[in-house]
């Protein structure tokens, strides 16, 4: 059996840290090369090899893939929805060129598998708000959503045209205690825990009744690994899979936190991110992922809140 050697690009980010640690548990520390433009995240130090890598430098990336005998690539580097609206050209350039660099090198070096995350941010105001299906009207209004939707079709193209085994998941908003999120509209759902513990209060940048699809990071990591380990013949979606964990509003997560911190109070000061949130679905239909590769979430709002507060 060929020994797998995995390159994680964007390993110091919110998903990258936890995915790198999970992959090292499965494949062994030395078999998972973590890389990022930023310096190594504290949680990764001492757990395996780390290289400084700019995914926009295609030649450098190609050299690393050959030199390290890479057989799988996880590309997690991206500019998210809120930051992307402040710098649309950079968001488009980074989110698209990084993917095109990886897909092209993966084709040339016959990489066994590629993983690239999309997002429920691909859906726009004309998509169904409740139980938004895998296939539906999809008209994103953020640069982040546009880049993720375009990227889905590039993944599908490389699979159809050259047989590249590239797989993808449309993540909901992700909540974790190990690593900070970076520039997303759903980041309030992480900030609120830190503020509740430190300040016993939180000024939320979304309105109280803003329902959004969310997921606890352990479930997102589980889904990613289950998708990547599923037999290729079970994969019927080569753009990107809808998955769902839970949906909640700021009011609901605040009420759940108050069960543990009774004195916690929340106030609402919506900003430009409210318009982004309003354009997304409130809940997602993930029946195709459940059928194709047995997806099922473990955490609901109550279980996540308990686990977050215990670990922070
Ligand atoms: C963002 N956390 O807020 C990301 C996510 C569904 C949202 O893609 O931009």
């Amino acid at each position: 059996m060929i020994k797998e050697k995995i390159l994680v690009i964007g390993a110091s980010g919110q998903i990258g840290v936890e995915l790198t640690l999970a992959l090292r548990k499965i494949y062994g520390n030395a078999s998972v090369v973590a890389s990022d433009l930023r310096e190594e995240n504290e949680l990764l130090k001492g757990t395996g090899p780390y290289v400084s890598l700019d995914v926009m430098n295609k030649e450098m990336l190609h050299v690393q893939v050959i030199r390290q005998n890479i057989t799988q690539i996880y590309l997690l580097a991206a500019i998210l929805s809120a930051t992307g609206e402040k710098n649309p050209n950079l968001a488009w350039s980074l989110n698209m060129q990084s993917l095109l660099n990886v897909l092209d090198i993966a084709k040339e070096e016959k990489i066994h598998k590629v993983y690239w995350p999309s997002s429920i941010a691909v859906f726009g105001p004309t998509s169904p708000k409740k139980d938004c299906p895998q296939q539906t009207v999809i008209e994103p209004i953020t640069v982040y959503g546009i880049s993720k939707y375009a990227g889905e079709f590039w993944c599908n193209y490389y699979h159809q045209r050259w047989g590249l085994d590239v797989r993808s998941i449309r993540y909901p908003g992700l909540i974790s205690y190990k690593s900070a999120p970076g520039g997303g509209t759903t980041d309030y759902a992480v900030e609120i825990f830190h503020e509740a513990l430190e300040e016993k209060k939180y000024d939320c940048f979304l309105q109280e009744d803003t329902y959004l699809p969310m997921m606890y990071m352990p479930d997102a990591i589980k889904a990613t690994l289950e998708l990547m380990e599923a037999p290729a013949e079970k994969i019927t979606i080569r753009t990107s899979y809808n998955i769902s964990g839970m949906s909640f509003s700021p009011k609901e997560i605040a009420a759940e936190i108050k069960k543990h911190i009774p004195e916690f109070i929340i106030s609402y000061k919506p900003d430009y991110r409210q318009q982004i949130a309003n354009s997304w679905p409130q809940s997602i239909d993930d029946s195709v992922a459940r059928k194709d590769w047995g997806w099922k979430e473990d955490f609901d709002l109550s279980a996540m809140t308990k686990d977050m507060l215990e670990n922070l």
Side-chain angles (χ1 to χ4, degrees):
M1 181 165 134
I2 300 171
K3 187 148 174 50
E4 294 295 348
K5 186 79 176 287
I6 298 172
L7 174 64
V8 180
I9 302 170
S12 286
Q14 184 194 20
I15 302 169
V17 168
E18 302 213 35
L19 202 47
T20 299
L21 293 171
L23 287 166
R24 284 177 171 164
K25 277 210 187 77
I26 297 170
Y27 291 94
N29 290 351
S31 298
V32 181
V33 180
S35 73
D36 204 303
L37 194 57
R38 294 168 287 186
E39 63 171 35
E40 188 174 18
N41 184 289
E42 281 305 314
L43 290 173
L44 295 181
K45 285 185 176 158
T47 69
Y50 191 89
V51 292
S52 174
L53 184 69
D54 176 0
V55 67
M56 298 297 275
N57 183 331
K58 188 175 178 180
E59 292 65 37
M60 268 287 289
L61 175 59
H62 203 158
V63 164
Q64 281 295 342
V65 167
I66 295 168
R67 185 180 294 166
Q68 303 266 5
N69 301 308
I70 298 298
T71 62
Q72 294 186 36
I73 300 176
Y74 284 69
L75 171 57
L76 303 168
I79 290 179
L80 300 186
S81 60
T83 306
E85 291 309 292
K86 290 180 184 161
N87 201 330
N89 293 330
L90 178 63
W92 173 257
S93 163
L94 171 63
N95 292 0
M96 291 321 306
Q97 200 53 54
S98 61
L99 176 61
L100 294 173
N101 288 351
V102 166
L103 290 174
D104 210 31
I105 292 166
K107 170 172 76 78
E108 210 168 311
E109 299 305 327
K110 298 190 177 15
I111 297 291
H112 299 169
K113 281 181 198 169
V114 175
Y115 179 74
W116 175 78
S118 181
S119 162
I120 61 105
V122 300
F123 297 111
T126 54
S127 304
K129 284 295 178 201
K130 296 214 187 316
D131 297 329
C132 190
Q134 178 70 45
Q135 261 110 13
T136 183
V137 173
I138 302 188
E139 296 173 324
I141 62 161
T142 62
V143 172
Y144 173 66
I146 294 165
S147 71
K148 285 299 183 183
Y149 200 34
E152 290 185 10
F153 290 113
W154 274 110
C155 292
N156 189 56
Y157 182 80
Y158 268 78
H159 177 72
Q160 302 303 334
R161 177 90 190 266
W162 291 295
L164 183 64
D165 189 352
V166 46
R167 305 183 188 190
S168 179
I169 285 175
R170 290 171 181 161
Y171 289 132
L174 299 182
I175 295 146
S176 57
Y177 58 84
K178 286 185 184 165
S179 50
T185 300
T186 59
D187 294 358
Y188 89 88
V190 179
E191 292 171 3
I192 192 169
F193 285 103
H194 293 274
E195 298 289 313
L197 287 166
E198 289 154 24
E199 312 291 336
K200 305 286 186 282
K201 69 177 181 65
Y202 178 59
D203 294 335
C204 183
F205 57 74
L206 296 181
Q207 287 161 352
E208 66 176 6
D209 57 352
T210 308
Y211 275 86
L212 288 172
M214 298 282 193
M215 180 171 285
Y216 196 28
M217 186 63 81
D219 270 338
I221 300 302
K222 181 182 90 166
T224 308
L225 297 176
E226 283 176 354
L227 171 64
M228 293 302 277
E229 283 157 19
E233 59 272 14
K234 288 196 180 295
I235 309 296
T236 65
I237 301 289
R238 287 290 178 170
T239 48
S240 188
Y241 276 97
N242 279 10
I243 64 167
S244 170
M246 56 187 106
S247 289
F248 56 76
S249 64
K251 186 176 178 184
E252 286 183 336
I253 190 170
E256 200 59 38
I257 290 171
K258 277 172 82 77
K259 290 178 187 172
H260 302 268
I261 308 175
E263 65 275 33
F264 173 63
I265 50 172
I266 185 168
S267 59
Y268 300 97
K269 296 185 179 118
D271 66 13
Y272 74 100
R273 288 168 284 193
Q274 186 64 44
Q275 286 66 39
I276 297 174
N278 291 344
S279 73
W280 292 343
Q282 293 175 349
S283 61
I284 299 291
D285 171 357
D286 58 4
S287 49
V288 180
R290 290 173 191 272
K291 175 177 67 61
D292 284 3
W293 42 276
W295 162 244
K296 186 185 174 318
E297 77 284 352
D298 291 328
F299 286 87
D300 62 10
L301 177 57
S302 159
M304 175 185 73
T305 302
K306 184 172 177 296
D307 199 62
M308 280 289 283
L309 293 173
E310 280 172 2
N311 283 285
L312 276 175

